[in-house]
Amino acid sequence: MRLAALDDDVSQLDLIQRSVKAIGYECQVFERGQALMRELRRDSFDLLIVDWQLPDIAGPDVVRWVRAHHEHPVPILFLTNRSEERDIVEGLGCGADDYMTKPIRVHELMARVKALIRRSYPPQDSALLRFGGYCIDLAARTIAFEGRPIELKQKEFELARCLFANLGRLLSRAYLAETVWGRAVEVPSRSLDTHVSSLRAKLELRPARGYRLSAVYGQGYRLEAVGDGAHALPLAGEAA
């Protein structure tokens, strides 16, 4: 999971980042609302932590912008000094999913972040996932189409799992690199493009099969259901 934290206090950002990393997530920090909004135009995050009082734009306006410009809702946690009931009502009313007041209580922050992640990205209960004619076996780490297995390399499987799990969502190159290769690995741009091209060919991700894997210039990749495959979100889990 990749998170973004917005606060004009560097010490607060450092505490948030260390707390988030302690529960296993990456956290990119921003001191200005406009900087985060610019980054959101080209990068992908799984959760946002937003302060209210910022030098350039108010936190609620950032949240409203995110809700207006992102087709896939990202969970948002307000973390602010403002504790009046009217502030909490406004913060939640403008689109935030949770509200926490400062001073930061580290264990509470960890718990709230984990709870938001659980609600927004529920774990798959089954080892088998179906997307139209595709069947993904999470335990065996294999993919088949209409019962015919498709040979994939390890990273190709991880890439496919990530794309299908985020069907319809634009995923930035940085997001894919960190999710598939790991947070400590620098992935050359050509390597990611090669893996995407290979996966598109091996899985035959084309409209005739109900899916299209597209590159969005300067941003990343999106796997989407098209035509007869438009119904093919995960249909049903099956016991392994």
Side-chain angles (χ1 to χ4, degrees), residues 51-64:
D51 189 19
W52 190 298
Q53 295 170 289
L54 301 163
D56 57 342
I57 183 172
D61 290 331
V62 175
V63 174
R64 293 186 186 98

Side-chain angles (χ1 to χ4, degrees), residues 58-112:
D61 290 331
V62 175
V63 174
R64 293 186 186 98
W65 182 89
V66 172
R67 294 299 181 231
H69 291 82
H70 278 250
E71 53 186 299
H72 290 271
V74 55
I76 300 175
L77 167 65
F78 258 120
L79 182 55
T80 172
N81 286 316
R82 301 175 71 118
S83 59
E84 295 290 333
E85 181 181 8
R86 64 176 180 270
D87 297 324
I88 298 173
V89 170
E90 181 181 352
L92 296 175
C94 73
D97 299 278
D98 199 359
Y99 196 103
M100 180 178 170
T101 58
K102 296 178 181 177
I104 296 174
R105 297 167 295 280
V106 170
H107 292 291
E108 180 185 350
L109 174 60
M110 293 176 178
R112 287 180 181 270

Side-chain angles (χ1 to χ4, degrees), residues 15-235:
L15 181 56
I16 294 169
Q17 188 174 52
R18 287 189 285 110
S19 301
V20 167
K21 287 189 174 184
I23 54 177
Y25 303 140
E26 282 294 292
C27 184
Q28 188 169 341
V29 298
F30 299 86
E31 298 177 41
R32 298 290 186 274
Q34 294 289 350
L36 173 60
M37 291 158 65
R38 283 195 300 272
E39 191 68 13
L40 285 168
R41 291 187 177 96
R42 58 176 180 265
D43 206 346
S44 311
F45 297 99
D46 296 299
L47 186 146
L48 306 179
I49 300 173
V50 178
D51 189 19
W52 190 298
Q53 295 170 289
L54 301 163
D56 57 342
I57 183 172
D61 290 331
V62 175
V63 174
R64 293 186 186 98
W65 182 89
V66 172
R67 294 299 181 231
H69 291 82
H70 278 250
E71 53 186 299
H72 290 271
V74 55
I76 300 175
L77 167 65
F78 258 120
L79 182 55
T80 172
N81 286 316
R82 301 175 71 118
S83 59
E84 295 290 333
E85 181 181 8
R86 64 176 180 270
D87 297 324
I88 298 173
V89 170
E90 181 181 352
L92 296 175
C94 73
D97 299 278
D98 199 359
Y99 196 103
M100 180 178 170
T101 58
K102 296 178 181 177
I104 296 174
R105 297 167 295 280
V106 170
H107 292 291
E108 180 185 350
L109 174 60
M110 293 176 178
R112 287 180 181 270
V113 167
K114 288 192 288 186
L116 279 174
I117 293 292
R118 283 197 305 270
R119 292 202 300 268
S120 304
Y121 309 99
Q124 300 292 347
D125 295 327
S126 171
L128 292 179
L129 304 176
R130 294 192 181 278
F131 297 81
Y134 295 94
C135 179
I136 303 178
D137 188 327
L138 299 178
R141 300 173 63 79
T142 60
I143 298 180
F145 181 78
E146 295 183 348
R148 298 188 299 275
I150 302 170
E151 185 176 347
L152 297 177
K153 297 177 181 178
Q154 176 184 347
K155 294 304 181 185
E156 290 171 344
F157 174 83
E158 293 294 343
L159 182 59
R161 181 170 67 171
C162 180
L163 289 166
F164 274 106
N166 292 280
L167 193 64
R169 178 184 174 192
L170 174 60
L171 301 178
S172 70
R173 303 175 69 87
Y175 183 96
L176 289 170
E178 289 186 16
T179 302
V180 175
W181 277 267
R183 60 190 182 191
V185 177
E186 290 292 332
V187 182
S189 176
R190 182 177 299 178
S191 179
L192 175 59
D193 294 336
T194 298
H195 278 77
V196 169
S197 178
S198 176
L199 186 66
R200 183 189 287 114
K202 289 183 178 181
L203 296 185
E204 297 184 51
L205 295 169
R206 47 189 170 82
R209 286 197 170 188
Y211 293 91
R212 177 170 53 230
L213 177 55
S214 305
V216 180
Y217 181 75
Q219 297 186 52
Y221 291 94
R222 176 189 285 119
L223 177 64
E224 54 191 336
V226 295
D228 293 338
H231 69 284
L233 293 168
L235 297 179

